[in-house]
Amino acid sequence: MAIHPRPLKFPRNFVWGLATAAPQIEGAAFTDGKGSSIWDTFARQPGKVKNGDNLDVACDHYHLFKKDFALMAALGAKNYRLSIAWPRIFPTGRGAVNRKGLDFYQRLIDSMLAHGLTPWVTMFHWDLPQALEDDFGGWRDRRTADAFATYADTIVITYGDRVKNWITLNEIVCFTRMGYGTGLKAPGLKLPEQIVNQTYHNALLAHGHGLRAVREHGGKGARVGITDNIENSIPLTETPADIAAAKAQFVTANTRVLEPIFKGRYNPAYLRAAGADAPKFSAGDLEHISRPTDFLGLNVYWGDFVKAGKNGHPEVLPFPPSFPTTDAVWQRHTPQSMYWGPRMVAEIYGVKSIYITENGAGYLDPPHSKTPIHDLHRRDYVRNYLRELHRAIRDGVPVKGYFLWSFMDNFEWEDGYDIRFGVVHCDFKTQRRTPKLSARWYSEVMSANAIV
Ligand code: PNW
């Protein structure tokens, strides 16, 4: 008897896509009037980015976008998540708009649509105009959120006739705490906790402005949400006690961003614990921040295991040194995060529509190769996560789409160009793109609407 595995089908109209971000692929860092971003500056400081790599050329997508969209279309992609570079539109973050920057994204969006790709646009993916850092202290000051409001209005007014899916911000923690607290990312500062908490608050204000801009200028059918890289809690065992403990841990870990957005308040326990370090805010701020969104974007890469400890208190388990990771050492192989992350935001915050806006695997694939990269490792990482996503949807979690990070190898922030997340290989010397095994496989997944 022949055995045919039952295909794990996804719901009808499930959105499959590929994701990138402007600063990681565009290059042309100073072309056509673009201003410096804090990442352009950060990359020039010795020791901040691996190998002294910078964003100047990256994948040169600024000049090669038509070829890139042709390749995406050839792989059968219908949805593409990209970001707009704020310093291309406003080179100093505010003031005079840069016509050439605006025109670039007109051409880009036209080309995307001509290739049958629906754009999902992130307004801000970490590339803050350097001038706002210099003049205001960047996210430390709410004038940066005010400048963002004008930027958001400008891009929604300009592109809103063709862009219907908007994401206000990508991963608040990565440009607040990691930029101003741990200093691992731009602008690379190590400042006291009160300031860090204020950067979160100012970022949330910017999110509110992004929402408002889409409601005011987005036109018919416009939808808007935010992308968060939640800290996932995976119950060690799927028993009521561990699940309850993991949920409690999830609330504590994600309170700064999710609670203001979905509950219109800072969690009292968070404010108590922060004490004098709590952010300064008004009630009006929280109303602005908690305007209703249309969906929540989640970037899911890994999660912590949690068990019910003494009196049911959550206990986060340490990872033993041999626990499998990708070559991005923070990326523990924990596919269950793709089940529990979406499930918890749906259960705890009542989120009705979730998109996985990023998931993928970083490995040290060779920089040059005569033959397509045989990345069984990346293929299997993604496949295992997709099985857990399928399980979540089967259990009723409202996940509507999945974007693989990333379309092609690119500038991996402080890790430079060594760690590669692409399903398409980019040879940074020749700018040749070559689909890896994972791209061929994902192409089949998209067309079958099932895990193949
Ligand atoms: C995301 N973590 O960052 C970013 O949105 C992308 O720009 C980036 O290239 C991609 O993931 C891969 O790193 C993250 O430690 C960085 O959990 C770190 C974490 C998650 C996401």
Side-chain angles (χ1 to χ4, degrees):
M1 188 183 75
I3 296 173
H4 297 287
R6 229 170 68 209
L8 296 179
K9 276 287 226 185
F10 280 74
R12 248 179 342 130
N13 302 324
F14 191 77
V15 169
W16 293 101
L18 293 161
T20 68
Q24 296 178 270
I25 63 164
E26 285 181 359
F30 307 100
T31 303
D32 290 340
K34 177 182 164 288
S36 265
S37 81
I38 56 172
W39 272 93
D40 293 318
T41 307
F42 186 68
R44 284 178 161 66
Q45 292 168 13
K48 301 292 190 189
V49 174
K50 185 135 183 260
N51 303 323
D53 289 342
N54 62 45
L55 309 73
D56 292 8
V57 180
C59 310
D60 200 23
H61 178 71
Y62 192 83
H63 298 108
L64 301 175
F65 65 82
K66 283 191 184 141
K67 279 190 186 159
D68 287 335
F69 295 151
L71 179 51
M72 279 183 212
L75 292 170
K78 303 268 186 286
N79 294 277
Y80 172 48
R81 175 179 178 230
L82 67 151
S83 80
I84 290 180
W86 184 352
R88 278 198 203 287
I89 309 297
F90 290 100
T92 58
R94 62 209 192 283
V97 67
N98 175 30
R99 174 57 50 193
K100 285 188 171 166
L102 276 185
D103 290 349
F104 166 67
Y105 291 107
Q106 297 282 24
R107 297 196 299 278
L108 193 86
I109 292 164
D110 284 346
S111 173
M112 226 178 292
L113 295 173
H115 286 95
L117 295 162
T118 299
W120 294 67
V121 173
T122 309
M123 297 175 177
F124 179 71
H125 202 120
W126 310 354
D127 46 352
L128 186 76
Q130 179 64 41
L132 296 178
E133 191 60 41
D134 296 341
D135 298 348
F136 299 156
W139 290 108
R140 285 170 274 181
D141 194 293
R142 69 189 285 148
R143 283 174 294 179
T144 291
D146 296 339
F148 180 85
T150 307
Y151 161 64
D153 285 340
T154 306
I155 58 176
V156 175
I157 289 170
T158 310
Y159 309 120
D161 57 336
R162 285 154 300 149
V163 174
K164 291 299 170 192
N165 304 291
W166 295 94
I167 295 161
T168 56
L169 308 174
N170 183 68
E171 303 186 343
I172 287 181
V173 64
C174 289
F175 65 88
T176 58
R177 174 168 304 288
M178 297 176 87
Y180 298 89
T182 66
L184 200 67
K185 296 187 188 292
L189 302 173
K190 291 191 176 134
L191 301 173
E193 189 64 11
Q194 200 289 320
I195 295 177
V196 174
N197 284 329
Q198 205 64 45
T199 62
Y200 274 97
H201 186 71
N202 293 331
L204 288 165
L205 289 173
H207 161 70
H209 280 303
L211 291 180
R212 180 200 48 72
V214 174
R215 299 290 180 236
E216 284 179 12
H217 311 295
K220 222 174 138 232
R223 304 189 312 146
V224 59
I226 186 171
T227 279
D228 192 28
N229 55 328
I230 46 172
E231 279 185 43
N232 296 294
S233 306
I234 304 163
L236 180 63
T237 65
E238 297 191 352
T239 53
D242 282 353
I243 291 172
K247 261 183 154 172
Q249 173 58 26
F250 185 94
V251 171
T252 309
N254 294 289
T255 183
R256 273 188 189 75
V257 171
L258 296 183
E259 191 115 353
I261 290 177
F262 291 109
K263 296 202 169 167
R265 63 163 202 183
Y266 281 109
N267 191 311
Y270 159 65
L271 291 179
R272 229 178 301 120
D277 291 337
K280 298 191 185 18
F281 60 92
S282 68
D285 284 358
L286 285 164
E287 234 170 83
H288 172 76
I289 290 164
S290 60
R291 291 163 183 273
T293 55
D294 299 310
F295 61 86
L296 175 63
L298 298 179
N299 293 350
V300 178
Y301 288 95
W302 68 284
D304 277 313
F305 288 97
V306 178
K307 71 168 193 181
K310 226 169 151 228
N311 303 321
H313 283 306
E315 194 182 305
V316 179
L317 304 180
F319 282 103
S322 299
F323 196 92
T325 70
T326 63
D327 290 333
V329 291
W330 49 267
Q331 196 177 16
R332 269 85 186 205
H333 193 85
T334 46
Q336 307 94 308
S337 55
M338 191 58 100
Y339 178 86
W340 288 103
R343 179 168 165 172
M344 285 195 188
V345 296
E347 283 185 6
I348 298 168
Y349 297 103
V351 178
K352 296 276 185 300
S353 180
I354 298 168
Y355 289 84
I356 305 304
T357 40
E358 284 180 29
N359 167 246
Y363 286 104
L364 296 163
D365 300 335
H368 317 285
S369 172
K370 289 216 163 64
T371 52
I373 304 286
H374 183 59
D375 59 341
L376 257 188
H377 41 326
R378 181 175 291 101
R379 197 300 293 247
D380 233 45
Y381 172 100
V382 171
R383 195 173 189 281
N384 287 332
Y385 277 64
L386 280 181
R387 289 171 61 88
E388 290 289 328
L389 183 62
H390 187 273
R391 179 163 82 101
I393 295 170
R394 188 203 64 194
D395 286 358
V397 181
V399 180
K400 311 294 184 190
Y402 172 95
F403 292 79
L404 192 134
W405 183 273
S406 177
F407 166 59
M408 63 183 156
D409 298 334
N410 57 48
F411 178 76
E412 179 50 20
W413 308 109
E414 66 276 14
D415 287 331
Y417 291 100
D418 286 355
I419 297 270
R420 292 163 179 266
F421 275 83
V423 289
V424 170
H425 182 264
C426 182
D427 184 318
F428 295 108
K429 279 229 162 65
T430 60
Q431 292 299 349
R432 186 193 299 274
R433 311 334 190 193
T434 313
K436 306 177 189 178
L437 171 138
S438 55
R440 301 286 175 211
W441 170 79
Y442 186 59
S443 166
E444 282 186 54
V445 170
M446 290 192 285
S447 80
N449 193 33
I451 300 174
V452 294

